[in-house]
């Protein structure tokens, strides 16, 4: 019997990408996607369910669909996108309810992958150059997105401890770059001048968006258990990242940064506080544990930056780097449900 | 207008690093040991239990991505994972050479005890309001041996704008045990640390050449875990380069720095704030201390650590007194 996979956050970038990758996998029988918004990517056989983060719906879905695998991508790591309350509802309450649903006696769940972030390590002046999965933070979490993800990982740990027969893996992704993904970092690098903090040139680490999807699929294929950092090899100074993107730096004052960020916010440049920390102290995570499982990265940090820079140049030349696919509900329903569609061929 | 605009205008600050087309590796300007570029390289070596594996030309095994395994690795600078840049060090060396040779006239004794390869942890006494002992040790070794020296230092540098970048590009590394372990065990580098911390340079001139507490012996524990020898260095002359006559604790607190000194150099006006006196500096390399313990243990005996730490402190202190007994003049040695 093939896999029955539940993808949370189907409408998000990663949920959609993960569902697309799962569709290409012949061993996956059923893909159910949950989200509060409709998916924005082309999907063939994924069943989309619009739902919120509440427990009653999630437990019914888990029971009714008998899923054996959960891909939990419905975690907000971009604090500029939503309000504090919404982030708490989605990340913490959503995860709590999801795992409550997955631990009910009728649940057939055997595999869980959670897409977390290296934000859980924070970014301070006392940090080591490389964080391993076990390195402790050097300061208490200061930003709500960090706190929220730490709480999420707490629920995941509890679930893993209570259900030793389930493979639970947490993937902590570093900042993602690529041709399509939009994050506060890509927006900052897309500005005519790239913001930096005066007198600081931190070293950052990136992972390419294709490696993110490959990592999720790799974990599912190998039934991996545990926590893994997912990040490209090497660290690049922010000045070099900007130079690779053919951009000049625009220094923000090192003091009174909140004021500067608020002013920039007014003109439409959103620099969330966790990004400002990163632009001061940077962050590196040790990716060797995940590599030892056999995973091979296609891109290093420099490679991810280069790929992003290429898409920036293309975008500058033609206006938009990737003509965005527009989700059309009727068409999608046709492709997913009509018997006229020959499935399993792409 | 257009005639003056150069096409390369947008990348003025960074110089492209020449890449060897055969190996895809950046050509270093000086011979230096091939540092493991990623934590994975090092971790793989640690797994094998042999740190040499991390620095050799090992083929890309599991968990190690070799050259060509990844896409698009062009770099515009040679800043390594620790933030050090050989190009900037070479640039600094040009300015520091006359200071080292003519102003401080640094002289070494027992330089041959510093290993030309393999990891080692150097510990020294630390003094002077703006200590010139650290750059002198690093400069001397890098010039003679052509191998980099990483200096572990207090996190306070990392909070200061501009200073943090300069410090890190020139070989400064945050003094975190993980960093020290990777540098020493996995990459077999030379690492320098001042166990007195900021209490060394922050002491008054009246307390010169009297070593402060050696922290909690963390440097011994790191050397034990990393399985590398400790090389004690005794330095004289550094105390006289910028003597502290008084301290202003309120100012230090306001600035968030460990100490705010009033130095004798300030008699010479604003320039004295930054320029050390031309005291003759002598650096004596003591016999390497090999720690007879198994590396990679999670814990080591606290008494063993403290005994070793005290013994090293005592040895440096005795050596300092011996060197001072032989010194005829602060300025000419």
């Amino acid at each position: 019997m093939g896999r029955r996979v539940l993808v949370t956050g189907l409408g998000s970038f990663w949920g959609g990408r993960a569902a697309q990758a799962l569709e290409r996998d012949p061993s996956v029988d059923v893909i159910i996607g949950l989200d509060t918004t409709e998916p924005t990517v082309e999907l063939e056989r994924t069943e989309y369910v619009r739902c919120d983060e509440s427990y009653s719906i999630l437990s019914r879905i888990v029971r009714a669909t008998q899923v054996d695998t959960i891909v939990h991508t419905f975690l907000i790591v971009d604090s500029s996108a939503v309000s504090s309350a919404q982030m708490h509802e989605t990340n913490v309450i959503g995860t709590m309810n999801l795992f409550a649903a997955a631990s009910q006696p009728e649940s057939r769940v055997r595999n869980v992958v959670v897409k977390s972030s290296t934000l859980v390590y924070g970014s301070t002046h006392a940090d080591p150059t490389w964080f391993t999965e076990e390195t402790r933070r050097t300061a208490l979490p200061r930003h709500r997105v960090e706190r929220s993800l730490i709480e999420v990982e707490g629920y995941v740990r509890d679930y893993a401890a209570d259900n030793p027969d389930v493979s639970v893996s947490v993937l902590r992704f570093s900042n993602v770059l690529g041709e399509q993904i939009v994050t506060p970092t890509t927006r900052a690098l897309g500005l005519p001048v790239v913001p930096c903090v005066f007198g600081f040139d931190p070293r950052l680490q990136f992972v390419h968006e294709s490696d993110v999807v490959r990592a999720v699929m790799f974990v599912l294929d190998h039934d991996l258990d545990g926590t893994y950092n997912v990040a490209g090899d090497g660290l690049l100074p922010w000045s070099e990242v900007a130079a690779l993107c053919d951009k000049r730096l625009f220094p923000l004052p090192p003091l009174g940064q909140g004021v500067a960020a608020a002013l920039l916010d007014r003109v439409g440049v959103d620099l969330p506080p966790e990004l400002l920390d990163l632009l001061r102290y940077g962050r590196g995570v040790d990716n060797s544990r995940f590599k030892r499982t056999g995973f091979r990265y296609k891109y290093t940090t420099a490679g991810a930056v280069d790929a992003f820079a290429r898409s920036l140049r293309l975008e500058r030349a033609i206006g938009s780097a990737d003509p965005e696919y527009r989700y059309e509900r009727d068409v999608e329903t046709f492709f997913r449900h009509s018997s006229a569609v020959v499935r399993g061929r792409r | 207008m257009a005639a003056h605009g150069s096409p390369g205008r947008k990348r003025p600050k960074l110089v492209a690093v020449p890449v060897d087309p055969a190996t895809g590796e950046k050509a270093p300007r000086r011979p230096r040991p091939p540092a493991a570029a990623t934590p994975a390289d090092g971790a793989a070596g640690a797994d094998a239990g042999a740190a040499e594996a991390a620095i050799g030309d090992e083929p890309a095994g599991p968990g190690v991505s070799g050259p060509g395994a990844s896409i698009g690795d062009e770099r515009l600078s040679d800043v390594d994972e620790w933030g050090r840049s050989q190009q900037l060090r070479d640039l600094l060396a040009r300015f520091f050479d006359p200071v080292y040779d003519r102003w401080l006239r640094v002289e070494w004794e027992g330089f041959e005890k510093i290993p030309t390869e393999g990891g080692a942890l150097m510990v020294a006494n630390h003094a002077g309001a703006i200590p010139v002992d650290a750059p002198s040790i690093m400069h001397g070794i890098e010039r003679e041996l052509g191998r980099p020296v990483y200096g572990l230092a207090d996190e306070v540098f990392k909070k200061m704008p501009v200073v943090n970048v300069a410090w890190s590009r020139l070989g400064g590394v945050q003094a975190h045990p993980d960093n020290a372990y990777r540098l020493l065990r996995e990459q077999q580098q030379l690492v320098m640390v001042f166990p007195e911390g900021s209490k060394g340079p922050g002491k008054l001139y009246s307390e010169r050449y009297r070593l402060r507490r050696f922290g909690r012996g963390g440097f011994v524990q790191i050397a034990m875990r990393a399985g590398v020898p400790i090389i004690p260095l005794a330095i004289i002359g550094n105390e006289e380069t910028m003597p502290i006559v008084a301290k202003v604790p309120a100012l230090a607190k306001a600035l968030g720095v460990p100490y705010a000194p009033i130095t004798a150099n300030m008699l010479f006006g604003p320039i004295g704030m930054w320029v050390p006196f031309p005291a003759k500096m002598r650096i004596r390399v003591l016999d390497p201390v090999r720690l007879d313990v198994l590396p990679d243990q999670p814990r080591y005996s606290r008494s063993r650590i403290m005994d070793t730490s005290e013994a090293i402190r005592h040895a440096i202190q005795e050596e300092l007194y011996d060197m001072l007994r032989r010194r005829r003049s602060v300025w000419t040695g």
Side-chain angles (χ1 to χ4, degrees), chain B residues 159-193:
Chain B
K159 285 197 273 191
M160 300 180 190
V162 185
V163 174
N164 79 88
V165 180
W167 173 67
S168 138
R169 292 294 171 272
L170 298 175
V173 173
Q174 170 66 30
H176 190 287
D178 285 9
N179 287 349
Y181 179 81
R182 276 182 201 279
L183 281 165
L184 289 167
R185 176 89 177 138
E186 299 177 357
Q187 304 183 1
Q188 295 285 304
Q189 300 280 11
L190 274 183
V191 175
M192 173 187 74
V193 73

Short mmCIF file of all heavy atoms in Angstrom, two decimals, chain B residues 159-193:
data_model
loop_
_atom_site.label_atom_id
_atom_site.label_comp_id
_atom_site.label_asym_id
_atom_site.label_seq_id
_atom_site.Cartn_x
_atom_site.Cartn_y
_atom_site.Cartn_z
N LYS B 159 30.43 43.24 19.64
CA LYS B 159 29.31 44.18 19.77
C LYS B 159 29.65 45.54 19.20
O LYS B 159 28.78 46.36 18.99
CB LYS B 159 28.93 44.31 21.24
CG LYS B 159 28.17 43.10 21.75
CD LYS B 159 27.45 43.40 23.05
CE LYS B 159 28.35 43.16 24.23
NZ LYS B 159 27.64 43.18 25.51
N MET B 160 30.95 45.81 19.01
CA MET B 160 31.35 47.16 18.59
C MET B 160 31.33 47.27 17.07
O MET B 160 31.97 46.48 16.39
CB MET B 160 32.76 47.47 19.08
CG MET B 160 32.92 47.42 20.58
SD MET B 160 34.64 47.80 20.96
CE MET B 160 34.67 47.40 22.70
N PRO B 161 30.64 48.28 16.56
CA PRO B 161 30.65 48.49 15.11
C PRO B 161 32.09 48.72 14.64
O PRO B 161 32.91 49.21 15.40
CB PRO B 161 29.82 49.76 14.91
CG PRO B 161 29.05 49.94 16.16
CD PRO B 161 29.82 49.29 17.26
N VAL B 162 32.36 48.38 13.41
CA VAL B 162 33.65 48.53 12.74
C VAL B 162 34.71 47.63 13.40
O VAL B 162 35.34 46.82 12.72
CB VAL B 162 34.15 50.00 12.70
CG1 VAL B 162 35.44 50.09 11.90
CG2 VAL B 162 33.09 50.90 12.09
N VAL B 163 34.89 47.77 14.73
CA VAL B 163 35.89 46.97 15.43
C VAL B 163 35.65 45.49 15.18
O VAL B 163 36.59 44.73 14.90
CB VAL B 163 35.84 47.25 16.95
CG1 VAL B 163 36.79 46.33 17.70
CG2 VAL B 163 36.17 48.70 17.23
N ASN B 164 34.39 45.09 15.24
CA ASN B 164 34.09 43.66 15.10
C ASN B 164 34.51 43.14 13.73
O ASN B 164 35.03 42.02 13.62
CB ASN B 164 32.62 43.39 15.39
CG ASN B 164 31.72 43.74 14.23
OD1 ASN B 164 31.47 42.92 13.36
ND2 ASN B 164 31.26 44.98 14.18
N VAL B 165 34.32 43.94 12.70
CA VAL B 165 34.67 43.48 11.35
C VAL B 165 36.18 43.40 11.21
O VAL B 165 36.73 42.38 10.77
CB VAL B 165 34.08 44.42 10.27
CG1 VAL B 165 34.47 43.91 8.89
CG2 VAL B 165 32.58 44.50 10.39
N ALA B 166 36.87 44.47 11.66
CA ALA B 166 38.32 44.48 11.57
C ALA B 166 38.90 43.31 12.35
O ALA B 166 39.75 42.56 11.87
CB ALA B 166 38.86 45.80 12.12
N TRP B 167 38.41 43.13 13.56
CA TRP B 167 38.90 42.08 14.44
C TRP B 167 38.73 40.71 13.80
O TRP B 167 39.63 39.88 13.79
CB TRP B 167 38.12 42.18 15.76
CG TRP B 167 38.37 41.10 16.73
CD1 TRP B 167 39.53 40.84 17.39
CD2 TRP B 167 37.43 40.11 17.15
NE1 TRP B 167 39.35 39.77 18.21
CE2 TRP B 167 38.09 39.31 18.08
CE3 TRP B 167 36.09 39.85 16.84
CZ2 TRP B 167 37.46 38.24 18.70
CZ3 TRP B 167 35.47 38.80 17.46
CH2 TRP B 167 36.14 38.00 18.37
N SER B 168 37.56 40.50 13.23
CA SER B 168 37.27 39.19 12.68
C SER B 168 38.03 38.95 11.37
O SER B 168 38.54 37.85 11.14
CB SER B 168 35.75 39.06 12.56
OG SER B 168 35.37 38.47 11.38
N ARG B 169 38.18 39.97 10.53
CA ARG B 169 38.91 39.80 9.27
C ARG B 169 40.39 39.52 9.52
O ARG B 169 41.08 38.90 8.72
CB ARG B 169 38.80 41.05 8.39
CG ARG B 169 37.42 41.33 7.84
CD ARG B 169 36.95 40.30 6.87
NE ARG B 169 35.56 40.52 6.54
CZ ARG B 169 34.54 40.01 7.22
NH1 ARG B 169 34.77 39.21 8.26
NH2 ARG B 169 33.30 40.25 6.88
N LEU B 170 40.90 40.00 10.65
CA LEU B 170 42.32 39.86 10.93
C LEU B 170 42.61 38.62 11.77
O LEU B 170 43.73 38.44 12.24
CB LEU B 170 42.84 41.12 11.62
CG LEU B 170 42.71 42.38 10.75
CD1 LEU B 170 43.12 43.61 11.51
CD2 LEU B 170 43.54 42.24 9.47
N GLY B 171 41.62 37.77 11.98
CA GLY B 171 41.90 36.49 12.62
C GLY B 171 41.29 36.33 14.00
O GLY B 171 41.55 35.34 14.67
N GLY B 172 40.51 37.28 14.44
CA GLY B 172 39.85 37.16 15.74
C GLY B 172 38.64 36.23 15.65
O GLY B 172 37.91 36.26 14.67
N VAL B 173 38.48 35.40 16.64
CA VAL B 173 37.36 34.47 16.66
C VAL B 173 36.71 34.54 18.04
O VAL B 173 37.40 34.66 19.06
CB VAL B 173 37.83 33.02 16.38
CG1 VAL B 173 36.71 32.02 16.56
CG2 VAL B 173 38.39 32.91 14.97
N GLN B 174 35.41 34.51 18.05
CA GLN B 174 34.66 34.49 19.29
C GLN B 174 35.14 33.33 20.18
O GLN B 174 35.19 32.19 19.73
CB GLN B 174 33.17 34.33 18.94
CG GLN B 174 32.26 34.06 20.08
CD GLN B 174 32.20 35.22 21.03
OE1 GLN B 174 32.35 36.36 20.63
NE2 GLN B 174 31.99 34.93 22.29
N ALA B 175 35.44 33.63 21.44
CA ALA B 175 35.99 32.60 22.34
C ALA B 175 34.89 31.68 22.85
O ALA B 175 34.52 31.71 24.01
CB ALA B 175 36.72 33.26 23.50
N HIS B 176 34.35 30.89 21.95
CA HIS B 176 33.34 29.89 22.31
C HIS B 176 34.03 28.53 22.26
O HIS B 176 34.79 28.27 21.33
CB HIS B 176 32.20 29.98 21.29
CG HIS B 176 30.98 29.18 21.65
ND1 HIS B 176 30.94 27.82 21.58
CD2 HIS B 176 29.76 29.56 22.09
CE1 HIS B 176 29.74 27.40 21.96
NE2 HIS B 176 29.00 28.44 22.27
N PRO B 177 33.78 27.65 23.24
CA PRO B 177 34.47 26.35 23.24
C PRO B 177 34.31 25.59 21.92
O PRO B 177 35.26 24.94 21.46
CB PRO B 177 33.81 25.59 24.39
CG PRO B 177 33.13 26.60 25.22
CD PRO B 177 32.89 27.81 24.40
N ASP B 178 33.14 25.67 21.29
CA ASP B 178 32.92 24.99 20.02
C ASP B 178 33.89 25.51 18.95
O ASP B 178 34.42 24.73 18.15
CB ASP B 178 31.49 25.20 19.51
CG ASP B 178 30.49 24.38 20.28
OD1 ASP B 178 30.89 23.79 21.31
OD2 ASP B 178 29.32 24.33 19.87
N ASN B 179 34.06 26.83 18.91
CA ASN B 179 34.96 27.42 17.93
C ASN B 179 36.38 26.94 18.15
O ASN B 179 37.08 26.56 17.21
CB ASN B 179 34.92 28.95 18.02
CG ASN B 179 33.64 29.53 17.46
OD1 ASN B 179 32.86 28.83 16.82
ND2 ASN B 179 33.40 30.80 17.72
N ALA B 180 36.81 26.95 19.41
CA ALA B 180 38.17 26.53 19.73
C ALA B 180 38.38 25.07 19.35
O ALA B 180 39.41 24.71 18.77
CB ALA B 180 38.44 26.74 21.22
N TYR B 181 37.39 24.25 19.63
CA TYR B 181 37.50 22.83 19.32
C TYR B 181 37.64 22.61 17.81
O TYR B 181 38.48 21.84 17.35
CB TYR B 181 36.29 22.09 19.86
CG TYR B 181 36.31 20.61 19.57
CD1 TYR B 181 37.05 19.74 20.34
CD2 TYR B 181 35.59 20.09 18.49
CE1 TYR B 181 37.08 18.39 20.07
CE2 TYR B 181 35.61 18.75 18.21
CZ TYR B 181 36.36 17.89 19.00
OH TYR B 181 36.39 16.56 18.72
N ARG B 182 36.78 23.28 17.04
CA ARG B 182 36.85 23.10 15.59
C ARG B 182 38.19 23.55 15.03
O ARG B 182 38.78 22.89 14.18
CB ARG B 182 35.75 23.92 14.91
CG ARG B 182 34.43 23.22 14.88
CD ARG B 182 33.40 24.06 14.15
NE ARG B 182 32.07 23.66 14.51
CZ ARG B 182 31.43 22.62 13.99
NH1 ARG B 182 32.01 21.89 13.06
NH2 ARG B 182 30.23 22.32 14.39
N LEU B 183 38.66 24.70 15.49
CA LEU B 183 39.93 25.23 14.99
C LEU B 183 41.07 24.29 15.33
O LEU B 183 41.93 23.99 14.50
CB LEU B 183 40.20 26.60 15.60
CG LEU B 183 39.46 27.78 14.98
CD1 LEU B 183 39.53 28.99 15.88
CD2 LEU B 183 40.06 28.11 13.62
N LEU B 184 41.07 23.79 16.57
CA LEU B 184 42.22 23.02 17.04
C LEU B 184 42.14 21.56 16.61
O LEU B 184 43.10 20.98 16.12
CB LEU B 184 42.31 23.09 18.57
CG LEU B 184 42.74 24.43 19.15
CD1 LEU B 184 42.48 24.46 20.63
CD2 LEU B 184 44.22 24.66 18.86
N ARG B 185 41.00 20.96 16.81
CA ARG B 185 40.88 19.52 16.59
C ARG B 185 40.62 19.19 15.13
O ARG B 185 41.28 18.35 14.54
CB ARG B 185 39.73 18.99 17.44
CG ARG B 185 39.44 17.51 17.25
CD ARG B 185 40.24 16.68 18.19
NE ARG B 185 39.95 15.26 18.09
CZ ARG B 185 40.91 14.33 18.11
NH1 ARG B 185 42.17 14.69 18.19
NH2 ARG B 185 40.59 13.06 18.05
N GLU B 186 39.65 19.87 14.55
CA GLU B 186 39.23 19.49 13.21
C GLU B 186 40.09 20.15 12.14
O GLU B 186 40.28 19.58 11.08
CB GLU B 186 37.76 19.86 13.01
CG GLU B 186 36.87 19.13 14.01
CD GLU B 186 35.41 19.51 13.90
OE1 GLU B 186 35.08 20.39 13.08
OE2 GLU B 186 34.61 18.92 14.64
N GLN B 187 40.56 21.36 12.42
CA GLN B 187 41.32 22.04 11.38
C GLN B 187 42.79 22.15 11.72
O GLN B 187 43.57 22.64 10.90
CB GLN B 187 40.71 23.43 11.14
CG GLN B 187 39.24 23.34 10.78
CD GLN B 187 38.62 24.67 10.47
OE1 GLN B 187 39.28 25.70 10.50
NE2 GLN B 187 37.34 24.67 10.17
N GLN B 188 43.19 21.72 12.93
CA GLN B 188 44.60 21.69 13.32
C GLN B 188 45.29 23.04 13.11
O GLN B 188 46.37 23.12 12.54
CB GLN B 188 45.32 20.58 12.54
CG GLN B 188 44.82 19.18 12.89
CD GLN B 188 45.31 18.71 14.25
OE1 GLN B 188 46.50 18.68 14.52
NE2 GLN B 188 44.38 18.37 15.13
N GLN B 189 44.64 24.09 13.56
CA GLN B 189 45.19 25.43 13.40
C GLN B 189 45.94 25.86 14.65
O GLN B 189 45.84 25.23 15.70
CB GLN B 189 44.05 26.43 13.16
CG GLN B 189 43.20 26.15 11.94
CD GLN B 189 43.84 26.63 10.66
OE1 GLN B 189 45.01 27.00 10.63
NE2 GLN B 189 43.07 26.62 9.59
N LEU B 190 46.67 26.95 14.49
CA LEU B 190 47.29 27.59 15.64
C LEU B 190 46.30 28.58 16.23
O LEU B 190 45.74 29.41 15.52
CB LEU B 190 48.54 28.36 15.21
CG LEU B 190 49.87 27.63 15.10
CD1 LEU B 190 50.95 28.63 14.73
CD2 LEU B 190 50.22 26.94 16.40
N VAL B 191 46.09 28.46 17.53
CA VAL B 191 45.12 29.34 18.18
C VAL B 191 45.80 30.01 19.36
O VAL B 191 46.60 29.39 20.06
CB VAL B 191 43.89 28.53 18.64
CG1 VAL B 191 42.94 29.40 19.42
CG2 VAL B 191 43.18 27.90 17.45
N MET B 192 45.49 31.28 19.54
CA MET B 192 46.10 32.04 20.62
C MET B 192 45.00 32.50 21.56
O MET B 192 43.92 32.89 21.13
CB MET B 192 46.80 33.23 19.98
CG MET B 192 47.34 34.24 20.94
SD MET B 192 47.92 35.67 20.01
CE MET B 192 46.37 36.41 19.57
N VAL B 193 45.28 32.42 22.85
CA VAL B 193 44.29 32.91 23.81
C VAL B 193 45.02 33.52 25.00
O VAL B 193 46.14 33.13 25.33
CB VAL B 193 43.33 31.77 24.23
CG1 VAL B 193 44.00 30.77 25.16
CG2 VAL B 193 42.07 32.34 24.88
#
